[in-house]
């Protein structure tokens, strides 16, 4: 099996996995970073969202060979803020967004990526950016409200 070098949450990690192993399973099964969730396995629900060089990507459909041993910087929910003080995380708490909470790590990562590239998004820009993340509980109104609140905290 090949060995890959990954730069995750400001630290370098070495993993021995098959080239087609999705980054999601490298994070969860090999590095014990279980904040990133498995949802659909085909990149459609957003539960597995991470940042790759600051952009929101689906880790369940991204093979490790596509990003390893390159200058790719990965950030997971664990790396967003160790203490939960990121403006998006604070807004999530203030608005009381989660119901079941399963999709929230992916939602938060998508929101943080949006605010990194657009510090003052409109309501439509928020809805568009967050539309790729599904929430079975239907907390979309609170999610959008929290993203708008987080924009005021940055």
């Amino acid at each position: 099996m090949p060995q890959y070098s990954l730069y995750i949450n400001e630290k370098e990690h070495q993993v021995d996995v098959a080239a087609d192993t999705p980054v999601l399973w490298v994070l969860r099964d090999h590095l014990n970073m279980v904040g990133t969730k498995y949802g659909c396995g085909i990149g459609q629900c957003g539960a597995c969202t991470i940042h790759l060089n600051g952009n929101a990507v689906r880790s369940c459909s991204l093979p490790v060979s596509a990003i390893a041993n390159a200058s790719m910087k990965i950030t997971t929910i664990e790396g967003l803020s160790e203490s939960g003080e990121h403006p998006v995380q604070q807004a999530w708490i203030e608005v009381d967004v989660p119901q079941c909470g399963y999709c929230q790590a992916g939602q938060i990562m998508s929101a943080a990526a949006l605010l990194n590239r657009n510090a003052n998004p409109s309501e439509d820009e928020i809805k568009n950016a967050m539309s790729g993340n599904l929430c079975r509980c239907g907390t979309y109104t609170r999610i959008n409200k929290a993203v708008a609140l987080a924009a005021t905290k940055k």
Side-chain angles (χ1 to χ4, degrees):
M1 245 185 285
Q3 183 175 52
Y4 295 99
S5 179
L6 301 171
Y7 192 66
I8 305 169
N9 300 333
E10 307 293 327
K11 294 179 185 163
E12 190 170 348
H13 299 270
Q14 304 294 322
V15 293
D16 294 317
V17 295
D20 62 348
T21 303
V23 172
L24 171 66
W25 300 119
V26 171
L27 293 170
R28 292 183 62 81
D29 293 347
H30 298 275
L31 299 174
N32 200 33
M33 295 181 193
V34 296
T36 304
K37 304 298 183 202
Y38 173 80
C40 66
I42 58 172
Q44 297 296 306
C45 74
C48 67
T49 302
I50 60 171
H51 292 173
L52 185 60
N53 291 341
N55 297 307
V57 298
R58 306 299 193 246
S59 64
C60 73
S61 56
L62 180 65
V64 68
S65 60
I67 62 161
N69 305 323
S71 59
M72 301 288 188
K73 183 179 170 185
I74 299 168
T75 305
T76 67
I77 190 71
E78 292 93 344
L80 195 60
S81 168
E82 286 185 27
S83 60
E85 293 180 5
H86 189 279
V88 174
Q89 292 169 314
Q90 290 299 306
W92 242 247
I93 293 166
E94 195 171 324
V95 176
D96 195 23
V97 171
Q99 190 161 321
C100 84
Y102 195 83
C103 70
Q104 297 310 300
Q107 299 276 1
I108 288 169
M109 294 304 286
S110 290
L114 165 65
L115 296 178
N116 283 339
R117 70 177 184 276
N118 181 352
N120 190 25
S122 68
E123 185 176 327
D124 285 341
E125 289 170 324
I126 292 170
K127 286 180 183 177
N128 186 49
M130 300 304 294
S131 67
N133 289 76
L134 302 180
C135 174
R136 289 185 59 176
C137 301
T139 63
Y140 299 111
T141 302
R142 292 193 309 246
I143 290 167
N144 294 341
K145 182 178 178 182
V147 176
L149 177 62
T152 69
K153 295 176 178 283
K154 287 200 94 126

